[in-house]
Amino acid sequence: MIQLFTIGFLEVEWLDIIDVLLVTVLLYQLYKLLTGSVALKIFLGLLSIYLLYLVVKAAGMELLTIILGQFMGVGVLAAIIVFQPEIRRFLLMIGKTTAFNNDRFFKSFPWRKSQSPDKLSITPFIEAAKSLAGKNTGALIVFARSSELRYYAESGDSIDAVVSKRLLLSIFNKTSPLHDGAVIIHGNRIKAARCILPVTESNDVPASMGLRHRAAIGLTEVTDSIVLVVSEETGQIALVRNGEVYRNLSAADLRSKLNQYLFDIEPKVIEKASAA
């Protein structure tokens, strides 16, 4: 290995530089994941106890070292239990960015090319969104992509029905028992309704966005899904992707972005909707 320079008795090599950079990136991603949540304070508390353990061990305080040592001995198991939601989000975030998560990767195989599933028609969603927005009726529609979102679909009521405008309007009717929650679309079918989605813990969400928008942001932060939101308060239509919200969309804008995000059909001009 090629030596770069020496600091005292330390010999710094290229591998050491790469190692430090990778650890820095990992710690930065961990900080982003924990920022704004109570888990950050718990993590800092555990770190403080570990530093105290190192100090008392170096100072030769045997009794306190034994007590803190026993605590640190189960520290890994305790961290897994305490940080279970954050660990799950971290693994989902990693899985979301891998090449195997991209459905186009699997479609490149010869035996998958022969399969030609029916293409989803986005017209019923656009027409339903226009009708719901005109009546200030809230809606939350999830377009599943590489994953069927079975975990979230099982939190609601299974439907497995063909998509239609009238069915969507019936589900999100304010008197319907299924209206409170999200509808999950996979393939060209409505898989489930009244589904519970994870709510984002980010502090950067504007106060004007309600629980539907926060749930849409939370799901798209950990999956590659696209979420259509109709605001009950303002009647505005929004589309959420990768945690980013495009608000106050017209029917034409909605069709353009759905074609772009679901079918990779690039519009001639792509403009981000201005925040209301």
Side-chain angles (χ1 to χ4, degrees), residues 46 77 147 151 182 213 250:
L46 292 174
L77 180 60
S147 170
Y151 173 80
H213 290 87
S250 65

Side-chain angles (χ1 to χ4, degrees), residues 14-79:
W14 276 112
L15 188 60
D16 299 320
I17 300 295
I18 296 173
D19 190 19
V20 171
L21 289 177
L22 290 176
V23 171
T24 302
V25 172
L26 181 62
L27 292 177
Y28 175 69
Q29 293 298 329
L30 183 63
Y31 174 77
K32 285 178 59 180
L33 190 68
L34 298 178
T35 299
S37 67
V38 68
L40 180 60
K41 296 180 180 179
I42 298 175
F43 176 75
L44 293 176
L46 292 174
L47 183 61
S48 301
I49 294 176
Y50 179 67
L51 293 176
L52 178 62
Y53 167 74
L54 295 179
V55 170
V56 298
K57 184 178 180 181
M61 302 179 184
E62 295 184 3
L63 181 60
L64 197 54
T65 299
I66 293 173
I67 295 174
L68 292 178
Q70 292 295 324
F71 180 82
M72 298 308 302
V74 296
V76 175
L77 180 60

Side-chain angles (χ1 to χ4, degrees), residues 191-232:
K191 288 298 181 182
R194 205 176 61 84
C195 300
I196 300 173
L197 305 183
V199 179
T200 182
E201 297 182 3
S202 174
N203 295 324
D204 298 329
V205 180
S208 58
M209 293 187 184
L211 189 59
R212 283 189 179 89
H213 290 87
R214 296 188 68 90
I217 295 172
L219 181 67
T220 58
E221 285 176 340
V222 296
T223 70
D224 63 347
S225 304
I226 309 298
V227 184
L228 170 61
V229 185
V230 179
S231 173
E232 186 173 351

